Amino acid sequence: MPPRVRIAPSPTGYFHVGTGRTALFNWLFARQQGGTFVLRIEDTDTARNRDEHIEGILRALRWLGLDWDEGPYFQSQRSELYQAAIEKLIDIRAVYACDCTAEQIQQRAKERGGPPGYDGHCRDRGLEPTAGRMLRFRVPPGQSGFHDLVRGEVPRDNKDLEDFGVRKSNGDPLFILANVVDDADMAISHVIRGEDHVSNTHKYLLLWDALDCGDKPEFAHLPLLYNDQRKKLSKRRDKVAVEDYRDEGYLPEAMVNYLALLGWSPGGDREILTREEMVAEFELGGVKSAGAIFDERKLQSVNSEYLRALPVDEMVARSQAWLLARWEPIAGLVQERARTLGEVYTMTDFLYRPAPVVDPAEWDKGVAKNPAFASILEAVRRRFADIEWEAEAIQQAVVAAGLEAGVEQLGKAQAPVRLAVTGRSVGPPLWQSLELLGRDHTVERVTAGLERLQAAALSG
Ligand code: GLU
């Protein structure tokens, strides 16, 4: 039987290079074996999901050329399946209701010393599994070790597993339940995912057995990614969004080549290989379990090799296409304001430079004209964190931030934002510009603006 694999990202943030690597390894395996590559969006965490991230997942996969054969499936549209599984678990008494609060659980853990976690308090209380109560899996005695294609045997004694939740008190299925139900329903034969899921796999297998799902998939947990200081790659510290690399002008084929080397190597000291070579030579069993270093300088050197290998006219065509893609979505708005072709570029360069070009004289003038400059940026930064990221909501947030800082004129409220984010005092309409730049970059630049003010205050 040809394998069925999946990439199952959660739309809670930008598409991460680690997810890109995992998607690539699944894709390579599927293509090599004549299998099926499924895309499943794990959007059960309604509080943290965002539509912009769903779009981002699809765009990043397309940019990398990792075409999927089925999906996207959305877990948010499959709740009946999870509900049925939960009912089955209730019927066979594999789960029980629990009404402990997080504080109570913590308090008891503190009192007994030892590891934190749930102590089975409600196991035999016989609470009704009514709405409003969390459901926990009754972990049986025994072993739930498994064989991993990358890591070998991963043993686990069930006494080290807590009775984990499968349904939240609000009725939503928890990650692990939806994950198991879907892998079974989609007949996934190989679960290839990040090492951070190893400890979930023991629970996964217990649920799989309880739900009587049949033949188990094989598992391959891919090594974690570290930065060049050997620290776990993190959203806060490191540049981890695949689309940031696209926006900086990396070539997708170079990115794919580099991602393939994160945990795998074709042997010898070869590093540059075509997609066809990767498909032919990739081996799950050849993936190393030790952490892999994501090193941007290395990526740069791979990228420059690809760039140099292009015929000059193709390099020109591709760099033009890249530039155009950065600002074309607001071209019509730029046209209304630019007086020359040169201005088209100065009005849009904030979209394709890693940081805005701030003219110190313009900045000082802007700050001097506006006593509320800092308070507006503060308020904007706070408000931008959780609005819907589209022009109208952005405008409303700036208006509200202005009022909060005692500024009623919209022009005055938006000037500090424009200056901090684009580096300029004139440009295309701000709301659409910020929408295009994206939430994270916008907030980053507002923050940098605030830091600039602080530095100036300290030195002045
Ligand atoms: N949704 C999970 C995540 O984003 C992936 C789960 C899996 O691959 O099994 O980490």
Side-chain angles (χ1 to χ4, degrees):
M1 283 282 273
R4 288 177 59 82
V5 295
R6 81 306 194 272
I7 183 73
S10 307
T12 52
Y14 289 93
F15 191 88
H16 192 285
V17 287
T19 316
R21 190 274 315 263
T22 302
L24 172 63
F25 283 21
N26 274 283
W27 182 90
L28 288 172
F29 184 67
R31 290 295 168 266
Q32 180 185 71
Q33 308 278 323
T36 303
F37 177 50
V38 175
L39 171 58
R40 176 169 89 217
I41 310 286
E42 299 208 321
D43 55 348
T44 48
D45 189 349
T46 41
R48 291 173 61 222
N49 292 332
R50 285 205 176 117
D51 285 349
E52 73 204 63
H53 296 318
I54 296 179
E55 294 300 319
I57 291 168
L58 305 181
R59 268 197 320 260
L61 285 171
R62 286 195 189 107
W63 181 67
L64 294 170
L66 304 179
D67 52 330
W68 54 93
D69 308 305
E70 276 181 30
Y73 296 111
F74 292 89
Q75 288 193 326
S76 57
Q77 294 167 10
R78 299 167 55 82
S79 40
E80 279 163 30
L81 276 172
Y82 313 135
Q83 207 42 51
I86 287 168
E87 267 149 38
K88 179 164 174 185
L89 292 170
I90 295 175
D91 282 349
I92 60 171
R93 295 188 29 86
V95 293
Y96 60 88
C98 166
D99 62 0
C100 298
T101 63
E103 292 73 35
Q104 289 167 336
I105 296 173
Q106 243 176 23
Q107 182 60 29
R108 289 200 302 265
K110 218 160 85 194
E111 281 163 16
R112 68 171 186 271
Y118 188 67
D119 56 0
H121 182 80
C122 297
R123 240 182 188 231
D124 302 311
R125 288 177 65 206
L127 296 176
E128 282 298 310
T130 48
R133 283 188 180 142
M134 177 175 189
L135 292 182
R136 289 184 178 275
F137 187 80
R138 195 185 296 277
V139 174
Q143 304 287 325
S144 55
F146 64 96
H147 178 81
D148 189 281
L149 294 170
V150 172
R151 317 171 65 78
E153 295 309 315
V154 190
R156 188 87 186 203
D157 193 317
N158 292 355
K159 73 175 174 1
D160 300 327
L161 291 175
E162 63 172 4
D163 285 352
F164 55 90
V166 299
R167 185 191 80 181
K168 291 193 219 173
S169 54
N170 70 4
D172 286 347
L174 274 154
F175 156 74
I176 190 85
L177 181 101
N179 193 248
V180 168
V181 168
D182 278 350
D183 281 352
D185 185 66
M186 294 173 189
I188 297 302
S189 63
H190 293 72
V191 173
I192 305 170
R193 59 182 175 182
E195 187 188 320
D196 45 328
H197 286 291
V198 166
S199 60
N200 285 327
T201 302
H202 305 286
K203 304 174 192 166
Y204 177 115
L205 290 167
L206 290 171
L207 264 179
W208 186 280
D209 279 339
L211 288 167
D212 206 7
C213 294
D215 284 348
K216 295 186 177 69
E218 305 229 41
F219 294 92
H221 287 93
L222 309 176
L224 289 183
L225 302 186
Y226 294 87
N227 66 16
D228 52 1
Q229 268 116 55
R230 304 261 183 299
K231 293 212 171 95
K232 207 181 132 192
L233 213 58
S234 99
K235 195 152 89 181
R236 248 153 246 102
R237 226 179 358 236
D238 307 298
K239 187 165 68 191
V240 295
V242 167
E243 292 197 287
D244 281 349
Y245 291 93
R246 177 203 63 197
D247 291 354
E248 285 182 23
Y250 285 89
L251 304 171
E253 59 271 37
M255 190 75 193
V256 164
N257 190 150
Y258 183 66
L259 291 176
L261 304 176
L262 299 174
W264 177 72
S265 119
D269 42 17
R270 274 190 316 146
E271 283 184 332
I272 304 294
L273 56 173
T274 64
R275 201 174 274 255
E276 293 69 32
E277 286 167 334
M278 283 183 238
V279 169
E281 297 177 42
F282 181 72
E283 257 185 285
L284 263 184
V287 173
K288 288 176 266 318
S289 58
I293 307 286
F294 184 90
D295 178 0
E296 192 177 349
R297 276 165 314 186
K298 179 77 199 165
L299 168 61
Q300 258 164 19
S301 101
V302 171
N303 199 62
S304 64
E305 284 215 33
Y306 273 86
L307 209 50
R308 272 199 303 275
L310 294 176
V312 173
D313 56 350
E314 199 183 326
M315 193 264 302
V316 170
R318 289 187 63 176
S319 63
Q320 278 184 336
W322 170 83
L323 192 61
L324 200 57
R326 305 275 71 73
W327 67 270
E328 199 181 22
I330 55 165
L333 300 171
V334 175
Q335 193 178 28
E336 310 262 302
R337 303 206 177 166
R339 291 165 303 185
T340 63
L341 290 176
E343 278 187 1
V344 170
Y345 288 95
T346 53
M347 280 190 179
T348 54
D349 66 350
F350 71 97
L351 289 164
Y352 48 84
R353 289 179 186 271
V357 192
V358 184
D359 175 348
E362 287 278 318
W363 177 266
D364 291 343
K365 207 167 83 194
V367 175
K369 271 206 308 221
N370 196 339
F373 201 99
S375 4
I376 291 172
L377 290 187
E378 288 283 3
V380 157
R381 176 168 64 169
R382 182 164 22 82
R383 288 170 185 275
F384 277 0
D386 50 29
I387 57 169
E388 197 189 330
W389 199 251
E390 55 79 41
E392 213 176 293
I394 295 171
Q395 173 169 10
Q396 280 165 12
V398 173
V399 170
L403 292 177
E404 196 182 319
V407 173
E408 279 184 20
Q409 294 151 275
L410 181 57
K412 262 202 139 153
Q414 70 168 303
V417 185
R418 182 186 294 284
L419 209 47
V421 178
T422 72
R424 307 195 188 264
S425 47
V426 290
L430 190 61
W431 329 121
Q432 288 87 348
S433 302
L434 300 191
E435 180 183 330
L436 182 58
L437 182 64
R439 185 197 311 267
D440 279 13
H441 290 306
T442 302
V443 172
E444 231 165 64
R445 291 171 183 204
V446 169
T447 306
L450 283 162
E451 280 161 7
R452 198 185 178 102
L453 292 174
Q454 264 164 11
L458 284 178
S459 71

